[in-house]
């Protein structure tokens, strides 16, 4: 028996024997600690990336917002400058009455630039009429700050197409044929009028910039979309 006991002790001390439970627990704890450390490192990297991306987005938004604000200010400044600049050939008319009347008014200008007018205005939210409109209704639209574009038979098809596109893209404007006008194309705002020979005349754009809801407007902010069609 002594020999057997001795043999057993020698076997347990053999380097090739299975690790003890204590050794296995120690290895497991070490492995868990290593996995936790790796996870913490990964979390730190993810947070750094997230903060970097968020910072870049915020910076981009601030930059975009600043650009938009500067661009809007530039547009306002350009419009204010254009509105202050005189336009060659523009005629102005003062002391125009503004009464609402049901009867037809005999206007001294053709097309009229203001005066007594019908209680109902024409729709002027970029509206293009293919037939002549009533003077009294159009004058009411002028009172609300609209620009009225008219033309006679001398206007080319290309001019009419260009002006129609411009009007349709611009609120507080309207357009209609006016066979009796002397000029080829006439731009009219309240108390203000310009005659040109072609839609390509640079004064057309200047007139829109200056007089659509411009300083001549008698009722700023008044509707231009619920009148008569």
């Amino acid at each position: 028996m002594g020999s057997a006991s001795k043999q057993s002790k020698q076997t347990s001390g053999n380097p090739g024997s299975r690790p003890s439970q204590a050794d296995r627990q120690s290895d497991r704890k070490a492995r868990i600690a290593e996995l936790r450390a790796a996870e913490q490192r990964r979390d730190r990297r993810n947070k750094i990336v997230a903060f970097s991306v968020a910072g870049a987005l915020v910076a981009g938004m601030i930059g975009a917002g600043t650009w938009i604000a500067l661009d809007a200010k530039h547009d306002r400044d350009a419009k204010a400058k254009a509105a202050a600049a005189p336009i060659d050939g523009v005629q102005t008319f003062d002391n125009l009455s503004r009464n609402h009347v049901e009867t037809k008014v005999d206007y001294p200008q053709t097309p009229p630039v203001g005066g007594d007018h019908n209680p109902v205005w024409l729709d002027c939210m970029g509206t293009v009429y293919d037939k002549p409109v009533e003077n009294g209704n159009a004058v009411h639209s002028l009172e609300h700050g609209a620009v009225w574009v008219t033309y006679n038979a001398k206007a080319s098809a290309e001019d009419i197409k260009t002006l129609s596109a411009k009007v349709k893209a611009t609120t507080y404007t309207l357009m209609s044929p006016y066979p009796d006008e002397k000029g080829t194309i006439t731009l009219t705002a309240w108390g203000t009028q310009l005659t040109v020979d072609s839609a390509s005349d640079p004064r057309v754009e200047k007139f829109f910039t200056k007089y659509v809801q411009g300083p001549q407007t008698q009722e700023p902010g008044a509707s231009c979309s619920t009148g008569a069609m």
Side-chain angles (χ1 to χ4, degrees), residues 90-94 96 109 112-115 142 188-193 211 216 218:
V90 167
Q91 292 181 291
T92 57
F93 306 85
D94 299 323
L96 300 171
Q109 299 86 25
V113 300
L142 300 181
T188 305
W190 182 272
T192 311
Q193 198 164 72
Y211 294 111
Q216 84 293 340
Q218 300 299 300

Side-chain angles (χ1 to χ4, degrees), residues 164-187:
S164 295
K166 176 64 177 177
V167 168
K168 289 178 180 179
T170 311
T171 57
Y172 282 90
T173 64
L174 68 156
M175 177 175 169
S176 67
Y178 207 106
D180 297 336
E181 70 179 34
K182 294 181 180 179
T184 304
I185 298 166
T186 305
L187 308 176

